[in-house]
Every structure is written in structure tokens, then in C-alpha cells.
Amino acid sequence: MSASPASTPAPRRWVGTSWKMTKTRAEGAAWARALAAAAAERGGEAAWAGVQPFVVPPATALSQVAEALDAPGTRRVLVGAQDAHWEDSGAWTGELSVPQLADAGAQLVELGHSERREHFAETDERVALKVSAVLRHGLLPLVCVGETAQQRAAGRSADVVLTQARAALDAAGGQRCVLAYEPVWAIGEGGREARPEEVAPVVDALAGLVRERGGDPARHPVLYGGSVTVQGAPGVLAVPGVDGLFVGRTAWRAEGFTALLDLAAG
């Protein structure tokens, strides 16, 4: 068993993907085996030095993916869950607790995605409860923040994102918490790839919030996600304050994920 991701040294960059409601157990395991093969071609444990890879499969495939990644070169890939309940157990039909997810192999938990906020009434207060639960059990929270197109048009991007991030960081209390800036207008099938100049002001505001809280920026990395492509990734990674990428469709094929890891490690 590897060390707790909440206590390990900070990597230079992060690259991860969430599969949302896609992939069967067999498909997830095949993706993991393909990634392990790519790592072996790049020197095994030396592959993608300085980059922290992570993958967030659906809960049904979590244990299979974790087992398939238990191979030279991919043992340090963090495996995550797409959500968690804030209680450790109880009468919460259909929910999964952090201990249950950890038992299935999760080391990281994605929280507060805009789809959860929009369709499942996820509030900043609820996200904060979940952040506390994740950290209580030694896992790493990855909190998604982002504004809608209407909020951006109204000039409220930074205000909306900072409100969401502030609730998560307050709950973290200085413990490691990864932030993923995912503008709602940039994600999903209808989203468009954000330009670096659109990403920069919001990322700068998030970095300012971390400093304002007296936190160590290395313990609160800021990732960008939203219609990320292999072609557009270098421009986003060059934005000051962007510590990595949180990718959707481009990384759902192991070849796409590998290409992004190669870029981040280069």
C-alpha cells in the first residue's frame, strides 16, 4: 500500500481524468492495462517523472482499475471516486461512504463537479462536509469549481469560483486539497476549449485565495479542466498558476491520456 496521497511530497504537475458514467469493469481494466504497457515502454517506474497521474472511474469499476494499475510504472497512479457521502455509514440508500470507497481502492475523491451542483443540488456547504470526511480518512479531495456562461458574461467568474473554493479550503483547514477549475461553459459535449487568457485571471484569483488563507500553494494545486485537447494542453499548462490538467474525453482512451502525460513530463 502506497503512502497517503494527502501526505506525500507535492509533484511538479498533475494530469488526471474522470470517466463520468462511462466504461464497464472490463473496459476500465483494459484502459489501465494499456496505460501500464505505455509506462513500461517509457522505463517503468521512471515514466512521467515529476507528474502525478490520476484516474477517476465509475464506482463499479474502481476496484478493477486499482488492481490493474498495480504494476510497475503505474503503482503511483492515484485512483479516485466521483463522489462520496459525508457520513461514514447509515441509512443513506444508494450512497457510498469514504471508508467504503477506500476499501475499493480509492485514494482520491472528486467533489463538487458542476453536474453534481446543477442536477443533484450539491451546495458549497455539502461539498465542505464531504471534504472534511475525505480528509478524515486520509484520502485526497479534488474539488471542482467553475462558473456558468451567464455568470462569466456578467463579470462574476472570479466571485463565483472563489466562493466555491473558499468553502472547500476552509473545510480542509490547511490540509492538502486539490482544486480543479472547470468553467461550466467549457465542459461536456457542448463545451468549447478555453483560451489561456480566459483561464489566467481565475487561476490567479484562486492562487491569491490560497495565499490569503496562509496556505502553501504546493499543498493546494490548481488544475484546469474543460474540453482539454492534446493540441491545446501546452497553452493551458503555460498559464502561470496552472499545476496540471483534469481531462475528460481526450483521456478516455489510454493513448490520449498517455499523450497528455508525455506533454506534462516534457
Side-chain angles (χ1 to χ4, degrees):
M1 178 68 69
S2 60
S4 165
S7 61
T8 51
R12 182 169 60 89
R13 279 179 171 164
W14 297 67
V15 176
T17 180
S18 176
W19 294 346
K20 303 193 178 187
M21 198 170 69
T22 71
K23 296 193 187 299
T24 62
R25 292 180 299 167
E27 290 168 340
W31 183 98
R33 288 193 298 270
L35 182 64
E41 293 172 357
R42 290 158 175 77
E45 299 298 341
W48 307 303
V51 179
Q52 175 59 73
F54 66 93
V55 57
V56 188
T60 51
L62 204 162
S63 60
Q64 283 80 7
V65 170
E67 289 170 6
L69 289 173
D70 187 16
T74 54
R75 288 195 179 96
R76 64 187 181 84
V77 177
L78 298 180
V79 181
Q82 296 181 15
D83 192 29
H85 199 273
W86 58 87
E87 295 286 355
D88 290 353
S89 63
W92 300 97
T93 302
E95 293 292 305
L96 294 170
S97 70
V98 178
Q100 288 175 315
L101 294 168
D103 181 59
Q107 300 158 290
L108 171 151
V109 183
E110 176 186 2
L111 300 170
H113 191 279
S114 63
E115 292 159 0
R116 300 291 310 176
R117 294 177 188 267
E118 178 182 0
H119 301 296
F120 299 97
E122 193 92 310
T123 63
D124 292 336
E125 291 76 17
R126 187 166 293 178
V127 171
L129 288 172
K130 294 179 178 184
V131 168
S132 297
V134 169
L135 288 169
R136 186 168 67 246
H137 293 284
L139 276 65
L140 179 65
L142 185 153
V143 180
C144 302
V145 297
E147 82 284 10
T148 65
Q150 293 78 12
Q151 290 166 333
R152 170 166 281 269
R156 298 183 56 224
S157 294
D159 289 342
V160 170
V161 169
L162 290 179
T163 297
Q164 295 170 346
R166 190 174 288 112
L169 292 177
D170 285 351
Q175 298 182 75
R176 183 179 289 184
C177 177
V178 180
L179 299 174
Y181 172 46
E182 294 197 308
V184 181
W185 47 270
I187 65 174
E189 291 185 11
R192 69 167 177 84
E193 192 170 5
R195 297 185 297 274
E197 61 267 26
E198 294 174 311
V199 175
V202 181
V203 170
D204 185 62
L206 285 169
L209 176 64
V210 171
R211 291 192 299 269
E212 171 192 309
R213 286 289 191 273
D216 178 0
R219 295 185 62 77
H220 304 296
V222 177
L223 316 185
Y224 172 76
S227 297
V228 175
T229 64
V230 174
Q231 295 74 26
V236 175
L237 286 171
V239 173
V242 171
D243 299 304
L245 304 169
F246 189 29
V247 190
R249 287 167 176 76
T250 296
W252 289 356
R253 293 174 63 250
E255 296 83 356
F257 189 61
T258 299
L260 291 168
L261 288 171
D262 289 341
L263 281 171

